[in-house]
Amino acid sequence: MTAYSYLTHLECSRCGQAYEAEAVQTVSACCGKPLLARYDLALARGEWERASVAERPATMWRYHELLPARQEADVVSLGEGMTPLLACKRLGRALVGIATRALVKDEGANPTGSFKARGMSAAVSRARALGVKALATPSAGNAAAALAAYAARAGLPATVIMPADAPESAKAQVAVSGADLYLVKGLINDAGAIVAAVKEERGWFDVATLKEPYRAEGKKTMGFELAEQLGWRLPDAIIYPAGGGTGIVGMWKAFEELEALGWIGSKRPKMMIVQAEGCAPLVRAFQEGSETAEPWQGARTLAGGLRVPAAIGDFLILRALRQSGGTSLTVSDAEMLAAAHLLASTEGIFAGLEGAATVAAYGKLLEAGTLKPEDEVVLFNTGNGLLNLDQFPVRAPVLPPGERPQPRRMEDSR
Ligand SMILES: *Cc1c(COP(=O)(O)O)cnc(C)c1O
Ligand SMILES: [Zn+2]
């Protein structure tokens, strides 16, 4: 007999102080830092068998023992997770001229088109179960789309504040899902300040990333899936496009939990993050050897998910990079765009600029010798290119009816 969830308490990520998990929580009162969910892993190890997972539905909730919902009825799901892990044999040849062992974890296949669905499924499930009556979030776009969808699914009202230049697809997803949408002339941090200023008087629960404990729990399931999809082992390296870095924090935690269960060994992938040249607070801090990251002034990049000037979980991300022997680097918007075209045309995977950044970074790391062709490397495509169609303008010959197209030159038929 296993528990539906082995959740025991929450813990301050800075000092370890324990907090009640059955109450609505935000950040830790002691340090003002993210709270991490803790589980009775020793008990789970004795009761929960790895083999049971394979028979379960293909959503992230197949790992419900290490997720925060107490019972199945609490789960607010749209089928998120268990996204494809695609071996990419042609990509390496296109990047550096030889075959490499790259895999793409295609998070663009999630509901609402990005991996924000995972975090919101966990956060909204838990918030509703704990009696929250209204939800809100600041967002560059994808978190807003996910919140609106999961709030609708949960039957809860939601309010979203996004930068005015957020993608039309995100605005449309929010509006169609019936959430209240406000646009701000500024960045996601400006949106966050507005939510923070009025949430109490409006009775909103703020699900901004790492300012409540459970979005990271949803995102950690990417780490569980990676292990499961590789036959219960981990790759040599992971390249992740970091904004707030929730996915890095979550996956690093997932690997610790899997080892505590005895499902994997102690080997960890090298955790590598890529940020945009125009907004790289974590890369700068990593290169300076700092434990925390100073906010980035004048953030500029077309990749909305990477336009995050300050990350509340900075010290957790930097620690994971260093403990794993990983690294960090930047790429330009032009390199992201070129990489998106390359990934789509060599492998058929239509990534947004954030996911494409991992492809550009992979090319650079191979060229620098930091990664070898034989290293098994997982690139995270965090969002679907369909969410940002304006970034991919199309030019094509227009034919009058009846006119035959000119044959195109076959420049490269690899
Ligand atoms: C939010 C987002 C990111 C950044 O995710 P974090 O885990 O907060 O670093 C990257 N890519 C896309 C498409 C996103 O929506
Ligand atoms: Zn603390």
Side-chain angles (χ1 to χ4, degrees):
M1 186 54 200
T2 61
Y4 192 77
S5 169
Y6 288 90
L7 179 68
T8 53
H9 65 286
L10 303 172
E11 200 176 273
C12 173
S13 55
R14 166 136 299 164
C15 76
Q17 185 171 320
Y19 287 82
E20 177 58 58
E22 296 311 311
V24 176
Q25 302 280 9
T26 55
V27 293
S28 68
C30 47
C31 304
K33 291 297 169 192
L35 287 170
L36 298 177
R38 294 300 178 203
Y39 301 81
D40 190 337
L41 296 170
L43 188 60
R45 183 180 180 132
E47 296 181 345
W48 184 24
E49 301 220 4
R50 193 173 82 175
S52 70
V53 173
E55 293 146 30
R56 295 184 179 174
T59 82
M60 71 174 207
W61 290 96
R62 70 209 264 112
Y63 309 104
H64 59 73
E65 282 86 345
L66 295 190
L67 286 170
R70 288 285 177 205
Q71 51 183 355
E72 196 174 349
D74 291 347
V75 173
V76 181
S77 175
L78 291 164
E80 56 293 320
M82 282 310 274
T83 53
L85 182 64
L86 303 165
C88 291
K89 302 218 167 91
R90 296 161 52 82
L91 182 64
R93 237 173 285 138
L95 279 170
V96 290
I98 44 169
T100 66
R101 287 174 72 206
L103 297 143
V104 169
K105 180 76 170 149
D106 192 7
E107 292 293 300
N110 275 301
T112 71
S114 84
F115 70 163
K116 294 292 194 297
R118 295 179 187 264
M120 286 303 176
S121 177
V124 172
S125 295
R126 192 66 180 140
R128 185 179 67 172
L130 294 176
V132 165
K133 296 286 183 256
L135 301 160
T137 196
S139 165
N142 293 339
L147 174 63
Y150 285 91
R153 184 86 167 150
L156 289 174
T159 306
V160 161
I161 305 189
M162 287 199 280
D165 61 355
E168 290 305 313
S169 70
K171 294 176 194 167
Q173 287 195 72
V174 170
V176 168
S177 304
D180 286 331
L181 172 62
Y182 296 93
L183 303 176
V184 59
K185 281 190 183 157
L187 296 178
I188 183 167
N189 292 43
D190 302 304
I194 297 174
V195 173
V198 300
K199 63 186 179 192
E200 250 161 68
E201 65 176 77
R202 305 284 165 90
W204 298 343
F205 180 63
D206 182 358
V207 291
T209 193
L210 292 174
K211 291 188 182 166
E212 64 76 55
Y214 300 114
R215 277 176 66 179
E217 291 302 288
K219 275 197 183 170
K220 86 179 175 186
T221 58
M222 294 188 293
F224 292 163
E225 290 174 20
L226 213 51
E228 184 184 352
Q229 290 172 320
L230 290 172
W232 301 109
R233 56 178 189 81
L234 296 174
D236 296 314
I238 283 174
I239 308 181
Y240 184 86
T246 318
I248 290 285
V249 174
M251 282 194 281
W252 194 244
K253 182 171 184 286
F255 300 151
E256 278 171 16
E257 291 173 352
L258 288 178
E259 188 180 354
L261 290 178
W263 292 13
I264 61 168
S266 58
K267 184 201 153 182
R268 295 287 182 275
K270 292 191 167 114
M271 306 295 276
M272 304 182 169
I273 59 163
V274 56
Q275 295 199 293
E277 273 178 9
C279 182
L282 295 166
V283 175
R284 182 173 64 190
F286 182 80
Q287 289 171 352
E288 287 173 351
S290 317
E291 278 173 36
T292 58
E294 290 299 311
W296 189 271
Q297 303 300 324
R300 264 181 73 90
T301 169
L302 288 173
L306 305 187
R307 216 185 297 132
V308 184
I312 183 174
D314 53 358
F315 63 107
L316 299 172
I317 302 153
L318 292 164
R319 198 188 295 159
L321 300 188
R322 293 192 174 111
Q323 284 181 1
S324 71
T327 190
S328 73
L329 71 165
T330 61
V331 297
S332 69
D333 284 8
E335 287 169 328
M336 291 181 216
L337 263 175
H341 284 265
L342 187 80
L343 182 64
S345 60
T346 55
E347 301 285 358
I349 302 168
F350 187 11
L353 293 188
E354 298 86 352
T358 67
V359 174
Y362 181 52
K364 288 189 173 187
L365 292 165
L366 284 170
E367 264 163 26
T370 312
L371 288 173
K372 306 268 178 291
E374 62 272 22
D375 289 335
E376 188 177 46
V377 181
V378 174
L379 314 178
F380 274 86
N381 173 32
T382 47
N384 199 311
L386 292 172
L387 298 174
N388 294 284
L389 284 181
D390 57 318
Q391 289 167 349
F392 302 95
V394 174
R395 258 169 287 128
V398 179
L399 302 174
E403 184 164 317
R404 294 156 59 102
Q406 294 294 315
R408 299 249 187 137
R409 268 199 317 131
M410 294 291 281
E411 286 165 355
D412 191 344
S413 56
R414 260 181 309 207

Coordinates of all heavy atoms in Angstrom, one line a residue, residues 136-184:
A136 N -3.3 34.6 -9.5 CA -2.7 35.7 -10.3 C -1.2 35.4 -10.6 O -0.6 34.7 -9.8 CB -2.8 37.0 -9.6
T137 N -0.7 35.9 -11.7 CA 0.7 35.8 -12.0 C 1.2 36.9 -12.9 O 0.4 37.3 -13.8 CB 1.1 34.4 -12.6 OG1 2.5 34.2 -12.5 CG2 0.7 34.3 -14.1
P138 N 2.4 37.3 -12.7 CA 3.1 38.1 -13.7 C 3.7 37.1 -14.7 O 4.1 36.0 -14.3 CB 4.1 38.9 -12.9 CG 4.5 38.0 -11.8 CD 3.2 37.2 -11.5
S139 N 3.8 37.5 -15.9 CA 4.3 36.5 -16.9 C 4.8 37.2 -18.2 O 4.2 38.1 -18.6 CB 3.2 35.5 -17.2 OG 3.6 34.7 -18.4
A140 N 5.8 36.6 -18.8 CA 6.3 37.0 -20.1 C 5.4 36.5 -21.2 O 5.5 36.9 -22.3 CB 7.7 36.6 -20.3
G141 N 4.5 35.6 -20.8 CA 3.5 35.1 -21.8 C 3.1 33.6 -21.6 O 2.0 33.3 -21.3
N142 N 4.1 32.7 -21.5 CA 3.8 31.3 -21.5 C 3.2 30.9 -20.1 O 2.3 30.0 -20.0 CB 5.0 30.5 -21.8 CG 5.4 30.6 -23.2 OD1 4.6 31.1 -24.1 ND2 6.7 30.3 -23.6
A143 N 3.7 31.5 -19.0 CA 3.2 31.1 -17.7 C 1.7 31.6 -17.6 O 0.9 31.0 -17.0 CB 4.0 31.7 -16.6
A144 N 1.5 32.8 -18.2 CA 0.1 33.3 -18.2 C -0.8 32.4 -19.0 O -1.9 32.1 -18.5 CB 0.1 34.7 -18.9
A145 N -0.4 31.9 -20.1 CA -1.3 31.0 -20.9 C -1.6 29.8 -20.1 O -2.7 29.3 -20.1 CB -0.6 30.7 -22.2
A146 N -0.5 29.3 -19.5 CA -0.7 28.0 -18.7 C -1.6 28.3 -17.5 O -2.5 27.5 -17.2 CB 0.6 27.5 -18.2
L147 N -1.4 29.4 -16.8 CA -2.2 29.7 -15.6 C -3.7 29.8 -16.0 O -4.6 29.2 -15.4 CB -1.8 31.0 -14.9 CG -2.7 31.3 -13.7 CD1 -2.8 30.3 -12.6 CD2 -2.4 32.7 -13.2
A148 N -3.9 30.5 -17.1 CA -5.3 30.8 -17.5 C -6.0 29.4 -17.8 O -7.1 29.2 -17.4 CB -5.3 31.7 -18.7
A149 N -5.3 28.5 -18.5 CA -5.9 27.2 -18.8 C -6.1 26.4 -17.6 O -7.2 25.8 -17.4 CB -4.9 26.5 -19.8
Y150 N -5.2 26.3 -16.7 CA -5.3 25.4 -15.5 C -6.3 26.0 -14.5 O -7.0 25.3 -13.8 CB -4.0 25.1 -14.9 CG -3.2 24.1 -15.7 CD1 -2.3 24.5 -16.7 CD2 -3.5 22.7 -15.5 CE1 -1.7 23.6 -17.5 CE2 -2.8 21.8 -16.3 CZ -2.0 22.2 -17.3 OH -1.3 21.3 -18.1
A151 N -6.4 27.4 -14.4 CA -7.4 28.0 -13.6 C -8.8 27.7 -14.1 O -9.7 27.3 -13.4 CB -7.2 29.5 -13.5
A152 N -8.9 27.8 -15.4 CA -10.2 27.4 -16.0 C -10.6 26.0 -15.7 O -11.7 25.7 -15.3 CB -10.2 27.7 -17.5
R153 N -9.6 25.1 -15.9 CA -9.8 23.7 -15.6 C -10.2 23.4 -14.2 O -11.0 22.5 -13.9 CB -8.5 22.9 -16.0 CG -8.6 21.4 -15.9 CD -9.1 20.8 -17.2 NE -8.9 19.4 -17.2 CZ -9.7 18.5 -17.8 NH1 -10.8 19.0 -18.5 NH2 -9.4 17.3 -17.8
A154 N -9.7 24.3 -13.3 CA -9.9 24.1 -11.8 C -11.2 24.8 -11.4 O -11.7 24.7 -10.3 CB -8.7 24.7 -11.1
G155 N -11.8 25.7 -12.3 CA -12.9 26.4 -11.9 C -12.6 27.6 -11.0 O -13.4 28.0 -10.2
L156 N -11.4 28.1 -11.2 CA -11.0 29.3 -10.3 C -10.7 30.5 -11.2 O -10.2 30.4 -12.3 CB -9.7 28.9 -9.6 CG -9.7 27.9 -8.5 CD1 -8.3 27.6 -8.0 CD2 -10.6 28.4 -7.3
P157 N -11.0 31.7 -10.7 CA -10.7 32.9 -11.5 C -9.2 33.2 -11.4 O -8.5 32.9 -10.4 CB -11.5 34.0 -10.7 CG -11.6 33.5 -9.3 CD -11.7 32.0 -9.4
A158 N -8.7 33.8 -12.5 CA -7.3 34.1 -12.6 C -7.1 35.5 -13.2 O -7.9 35.9 -14.1 CB -6.5 33.1 -13.4
T159 N -6.1 36.2 -12.7 CA -5.7 37.5 -13.3 C -4.2 37.4 -13.8 O -3.4 36.8 -13.0 CB -5.8 38.6 -12.3 OG1 -7.1 38.6 -11.7 CG2 -5.5 39.9 -12.9
V160 N -3.9 38.0 -14.9 CA -2.6 37.9 -15.5 C -2.1 39.3 -15.8 O -2.9 40.1 -16.4 CB -2.7 37.0 -16.8 CG1 -1.5 37.3 -17.7 CG2 -2.8 35.5 -16.4
I161 N -0.9 39.6 -15.5 CA -0.3 40.9 -15.9 C 1.0 40.5 -16.7 O 1.9 39.8 -16.3 CB 0.0 41.7 -14.7 CG1 -1.2 41.9 -13.9 CG2 0.6 43.1 -15.2 CD1 -1.2 43.0 -12.8
M162 N 1.0 41.0 -18.0 CA 2.0 40.7 -18.9 C 2.6 41.9 -19.5 O 1.9 42.9 -19.7 CB 1.5 39.9 -20.1 CG 1.1 38.5 -19.8 SD 1.0 37.5 -21.4 CE -0.6 38.0 -22.0
P163 N 3.9 41.9 -19.9 CA 4.4 43.0 -20.7 C 3.5 43.2 -22.0 O 3.0 42.2 -22.6 CB 5.8 42.5 -21.1 CG 6.2 41.5 -20.1 CD 4.9 40.9 -19.7
A164 N 3.4 44.5 -22.4 CA 2.5 44.8 -23.5 C 3.0 44.1 -24.8 O 2.2 43.9 -25.7 CB 2.4 46.3 -23.7
D165 N 4.3 43.9 -24.9 CA 4.8 43.3 -26.1 C 4.9 41.8 -26.0 O 5.6 41.1 -26.8 CB 6.2 43.9 -26.4 CG 7.2 43.5 -25.3 OD1 6.8 43.0 -24.3 OD2 8.4 43.9 -25.5
A166 N 4.2 41.2 -25.1 CA 4.1 39.7 -25.0 C 3.5 39.1 -26.3 O 2.7 39.8 -27.0 CB 3.3 39.3 -23.8
P167 N 3.8 37.9 -26.7 CA 3.3 37.3 -27.9 C 1.7 37.3 -28.0 O 1.1 37.1 -27.0 CB 3.8 35.9 -27.9 CG 4.9 35.9 -26.9 CD 4.6 37.0 -25.9
E168 N 1.2 37.6 -29.2 CA -0.2 37.6 -29.4 C -0.8 36.2 -29.0 O -1.9 36.2 -28.5 CB -0.5 37.8 -30.9 CG -0.3 39.2 -31.3 CD -1.0 40.3 -30.4 OE1 -2.2 40.1 -30.2 OE2 -0.3 41.3 -30.0
S169 N -0.1 35.1 -29.2 CA -0.6 33.8 -28.9 C -0.9 33.7 -27.4 O -1.9 33.1 -27.0 CB 0.3 32.7 -29.3 OG 1.5 32.7 -28.5
A170 N 0.0 34.3 -26.6 CA -0.2 34.2 -25.1 C -1.4 35.0 -24.7 O -2.2 34.6 -23.9 CB 1.1 34.7 -24.4
K171 N -1.5 36.2 -25.3 CA -2.6 37.1 -25.0 C -3.9 36.4 -25.3 O -4.9 36.4 -24.6 CB -2.5 38.4 -25.7 CG -1.4 39.3 -25.3 CD -1.3 40.6 -26.1 CE 0.0 41.3 -26.0 NZ 0.2 42.3 -27.0
A172 N -3.9 35.8 -26.5 CA -5.1 35.1 -27.0 C -5.5 33.9 -26.1 O -6.7 33.7 -25.7 CB -4.9 34.6 -28.4
Q173 N -4.5 33.1 -25.7 CA -4.7 32.0 -24.8 C -5.3 32.4 -23.5 O -6.3 31.8 -23.0 CB -3.5 31.2 -24.6 CG -3.0 30.4 -25.8 CD -1.9 29.3 -25.4 OE1 -2.2 28.3 -24.7 NE2 -0.7 29.5 -25.7
V174 N -4.8 33.5 -23.0 CA -5.3 34.0 -21.7 C -6.8 34.5 -21.8 O -7.6 34.2 -21.1 CB -4.4 35.2 -21.2 CG1 -5.1 35.9 -20.0 CG2 -3.0 34.6 -20.8
A175 N -7.0 35.3 -22.9 CA -8.3 35.9 -23.0 C -9.3 34.9 -23.3 O -10.4 34.9 -22.8 CB -8.3 37.0 -24.2
V176 N -9.0 33.9 -24.2 CA -10.0 32.9 -24.5 C -10.3 32.0 -23.3 O -11.4 31.5 -23.2 CB -9.4 32.0 -25.7 CG1 -10.2 30.7 -25.9 CG2 -9.4 32.8 -27.0
S177 N -9.3 31.8 -22.4 CA -9.6 31.0 -21.3 C -10.3 31.7 -20.2 O -10.6 31.2 -19.1 CB -8.2 30.5 -20.7 OG -7.5 29.8 -21.6
G178 N -10.7 33.0 -20.4 CA -11.5 33.7 -19.5 C -10.8 34.4 -18.4 O -11.5 34.9 -17.4
A179 N -9.5 34.4 -18.4 CA -8.8 35.1 -17.3 C -8.8 36.6 -17.5 O -9.0 37.1 -18.7 CB -7.4 34.6 -17.2
D180 N -8.6 37.4 -16.4 CA -8.5 38.9 -16.6 C -7.1 39.2 -17.0 O -6.1 38.8 -16.4 CB -8.8 39.5 -15.2 CG -10.3 39.5 -14.9 OD1 -11.1 39.5 -15.9 OD2 -10.6 39.5 -13.7
L181 N -7.0 39.9 -18.1 CA -5.7 40.2 -18.7 C -5.3 41.7 -18.6 O -6.2 42.5 -19.0 CB -5.6 39.8 -20.1 CG -4.4 40.2 -21.0 CD1 -3.1 39.5 -20.4 CD2 -4.6 39.8 -22.4
Y182 N -4.2 42.0 -18.0 CA -3.7 43.4 -18.0 C -2.3 43.4 -18.7 O -1.5 42.5 -18.4 CB -3.6 44.0 -16.6 CG -4.9 44.1 -15.9 CD1 -5.4 43.0 -15.1 CD2 -5.7 45.2 -16.0 CE1 -6.6 43.1 -14.4 CE2 -6.9 45.3 -15.4 CZ -7.4 44.3 -14.6 OH -8.5 44.3 -14.0
L183 N -2.0 44.5 -19.4 CA -0.7 44.6 -20.1 C 0.0 45.8 -19.5 O -0.6 46.8 -19.2 CB -0.9 44.8 -21.6 CG -1.7 43.7 -22.3 CD1 -1.9 44.1 -23.8 CD2 -1.0 42.4 -22.2
V184 N 1.3 45.6 -19.3 CA 2.1 46.7 -18.7 C 3.2 47.1 -19.7 O 3.8 46.2 -20.3 CB 2.7 46.3 -17.3 CG1 3.5 45.1 -17.4 CG2 3.4 47.4 -16.7

